[in-house]
Every structure is written in C-alpha cells, then in structure tokens.
Amino acid sequence: MITLGQVNTLEIIRETDHGIYLMDNEDNEVLLPNRYVPTSFKIWDKIDVFVYLDNEERPVATTDMPYVKRDEFALLRCNQVTDYGAFLDWGLVKELFCPFKEQAFKMKPGGWYLVHCYLDEKTDRLVASSKTNRFLDNTNLTVQQFDEVDIIVSHPSDIGMNVIVNKIHSGLIYKDQIFKDISVGDKLKGIVKKIRPGNKLDISLGQIGYRNIEPNAERILHELQDNSGYMNLTDKSSPEAIKEQLQMSKKNFKKAIGALYKERQIEIKSDGIYLV
C-alpha cells in the first residue's frame, strides 16, 4: 500500500519520458519525476520516497524529505496567504496548505508557526493545522511518572509553557521549572514530574529520567510527594531518625539529597527538605 504523507519503500518497475514508475506490493503505482530519478538504477531496485499530491491532485513521489510528515508536528514558515488560506514551506516544491479554519491565529507571510500535518479525509489532501491541541489526547496515557519523554514546545501560558509529549499527549512546564531559554517549536527531552487529576502532565526539563536517578533519591522523591512536598529531615538529622523514616543510612541519605539538590528537585532548609 502506498501511503500519502509517509516514506514508502517501493520497487522501480519501468522508465518513461516523464520519470520512473514505482510499485508497492499491492501493484499500486506512482511516478517519480525525472528531477528525482537516481543517476543509476536498475529495474526492481527498491527506493525510499515520500508520496504526496501534486498540483493536479495526483499522487507523486519525491526523494526530497519534507520538514514534517503526516501525523507529525513541526515549526514551519508561512510563505504566502491567499483567499483560501496560508501556504507553508515544508521543504517540497508544492507548499503545505493551512486553511483559515485550521489557524489558531491568522497567519502572516514570513511568520513561523507550529503545525500538525494530517490527511484531510474529505479532500484526501495533506494539510496543516496550527490548532495543535485537537490532535493531542490524555484520556489514556502512555507514560508514567518519572518517565523520560520527548517534548515539543507548543505555546506559552500564564503559568508556564505548554508542551507536546511524545507527539500524542499535552503537558505543562511551570515557569519555575524553566531554567533556560526555550521557544515554540523547540524539541527537547523532559521528565514526567507528576500526573495530576484528569491525566494532566507536569513536565520538567532534563535528559536523565527519574528512573535513572539513584534509587534512594527516588525513594525520597516519593516520600516528599506523599507528604505535600515536605520532609522534616536534613543532613543534620540523626542516623536513627533517617533510618526510621526512610530505611536508609545517613551516608546514603546525604548522597541522595545531594543528587536531588543538584538537579534542582529539592530545597534544603533548616527545618527540612522541600520539593521544588
């Protein structure tokens, strides 16, 4: 099956004046125009191509790879706006169309917009939408607390920055968790810091998942979260008090809180430890 908006591995079956024809395992054919034909090839060679609709709404193949494929998100530049909508540069000869009804804010030539590329079932065309939230769903989460995740910065809010989590969920990084400059469209690593009621995801920036943190540090995090973010222990506490509350030695306790403090996950004060 030849899939629009995706990379397809197809076989070369014949050469024509316009290019070479490619075929899938169901005998569906598509043209690879001359400008993309390899300098050397043999019939029945396999080739990876991206397939989309040309200006006459016919499936066509290209060896150029777009900046965004079907069911993905990307930051794209608006090249022009017409009476029908906006046209975005996605790295191919034919621009990616974004209808007015799919624009979260009216697009302007030269502007950059985070969009989702999808197949319009009515027209069978690949189109873009900057209303990215409608392509995200937190009903059934595929992540757990402390998981490392891939995030795309989506849009700012009054309390932080909204992010796309693993291309399927929505999440939020609170302002006090942002320790470097980030911009819409940035692709980063994050950590699922907390799952709140309604499957809302709190994300923190980082490249090392909580599961890779030393086990004692993870134990302390759980203890803090179970007690409203506070623990009445410090590095001055007695070994007996630490062992009674956490079942670990004072040496391991100090090592664990040191790691958490370095990762800016906790604050250590004279009266105890606080979850950031």
Side-chain angles (χ1 to χ4, degrees):
M1 180 177 180
I2 296 176
T3 306
L4 288 175
Q6 298 288 357
V7 176
N8 297 258
T9 301
L10 306 175
E11 289 184 336
I12 300 172
I13 58 170
R14 67 179 182 276
E15 185 176 7
T16 70
D17 292 339
H18 303 291
I20 56 177
Y21 275 89
L22 313 175
M23 185 175 70
D24 66 6
N25 56 10
E26 297 178 355
D27 296 336
N28 299 303
E29 297 182 10
V30 65
L31 175 69
L32 180 67
N34 281 320
R35 65 183 297 173
Y36 306 113
V37 173
T39 53
S40 62
F41 65 88
K42 293 182 293 185
I43 300 300
W44 306 120
D45 278 352
K46 291 187 176 182
I47 186 171
D48 291 335
V49 293
F50 182 80
V51 180
Y52 67 119
L53 299 183
D54 64 14
N55 290 324
E56 297 182 19
E57 307 302 325
R58 299 172 301 187
V60 66
T62 175
T63 52
D64 288 345
M65 292 297 135
Y67 305 142
V68 62
K69 295 188 284 291
R70 179 176 169 180
D71 299 327
E72 292 183 349
F73 298 87
L75 188 70
L76 302 181
R77 182 182 185 275
C78 175
N79 280 350
Q80 60 175 318
V81 177
T82 70
D83 293 337
Y84 304 101
F87 289 85
L88 311 177
D89 176 13
W90 64 327
L92 301 182
V93 174
K94 182 185 177 184
E95 296 167 330
L96 183 63
F97 178 59
C98 183
F100 286 122
K101 66 184 180 69
E102 291 297 335
Q103 297 177 24
F105 301 97
K106 189 174 181 180
M107 293 182 174
K108 298 179 181 179
W112 290 83
Y113 303 92
L114 182 69
V115 298
H116 181 267
C117 177
Y118 70 100
L119 186 69
D120 186 342
E121 295 181 354
K122 292 183 179 179
T123 63
D124 205 32
R125 291 190 302 174
L126 294 168
V127 295
S129 173
S130 62
K131 296 180 178 180
T132 54
N133 280 345
R134 77 182 188 89
F135 300 97
L136 305 175
D137 188 2
N138 286 31
T139 304
N140 297 306
L141 293 180
T142 60
V143 297
Q144 298 177 353
Q145 191 175 24
F146 309 141
D147 278 358
E148 182 178 86
V149 291
D150 294 314
I151 61 174
I152 302 173
V153 179
S154 176
H155 58 280
S157 73
D158 293 337
I159 57 176
M161 191 70 80
N162 291 283
V163 295
I164 296 166
V165 180
N166 287 351
K167 301 180 181 180
I168 52 177
H169 302 314
S170 62
L172 177 70
I173 306 175
Y174 286 98
K175 286 181 179 179
D176 61 2
Q177 290 292 304
I178 300 175
F179 305 112
K180 61 181 180 179
D181 292 335
I182 58 175
S183 303
V184 172
D186 285 352
K187 296 181 179 181
L188 306 164
K189 291 291 185 180
I191 299 164
V192 180
K193 184 176 181 181
K194 186 177 182 181
I195 300 176
R196 292 184 284 118
N199 282 349
K200 295 180 180 179
L201 299 177
D202 289 352
I203 306 296
S204 67
L205 294 174
Q207 294 186 341
I208 302 175
Y210 278 68
R211 288 181 176 176
N212 293 327
I213 291 177
E214 192 241 346
N216 288 325
E218 185 174 339
R219 186 185 190 92
I220 291 171
L221 283 176
H222 282 298
E223 185 75 13
L224 286 166
Q225 288 159 352
D226 290 342
N227 292 279
S228 303
Y230 172 72
M231 181 188 299
N232 64 344
L233 294 175
T234 70
D235 55 357
K236 305 297 183 184
S237 298
S238 68
E240 293 76 20
I242 294 170
K243 184 176 181 180
E244 180 180 355
Q245 189 166 339
L246 296 172
Q247 293 77 52
M248 70 177 69
S249 68
K250 183 169 182 176
K251 179 180 177 180
N252 287 338
F253 172 73
K254 291 177 69 174
K255 180 180 178 182
I257 63 173
L260 292 172
Y261 181 79
K262 185 177 179 181
E263 294 293 327
R264 300 187 181 183
Q265 303 303 324
I266 62 171
E267 288 183 331
I268 303 173
K269 298 183 180 180
S270 59
D271 64 331
I273 298 171
Y274 292 81
L275 187 64
V276 173

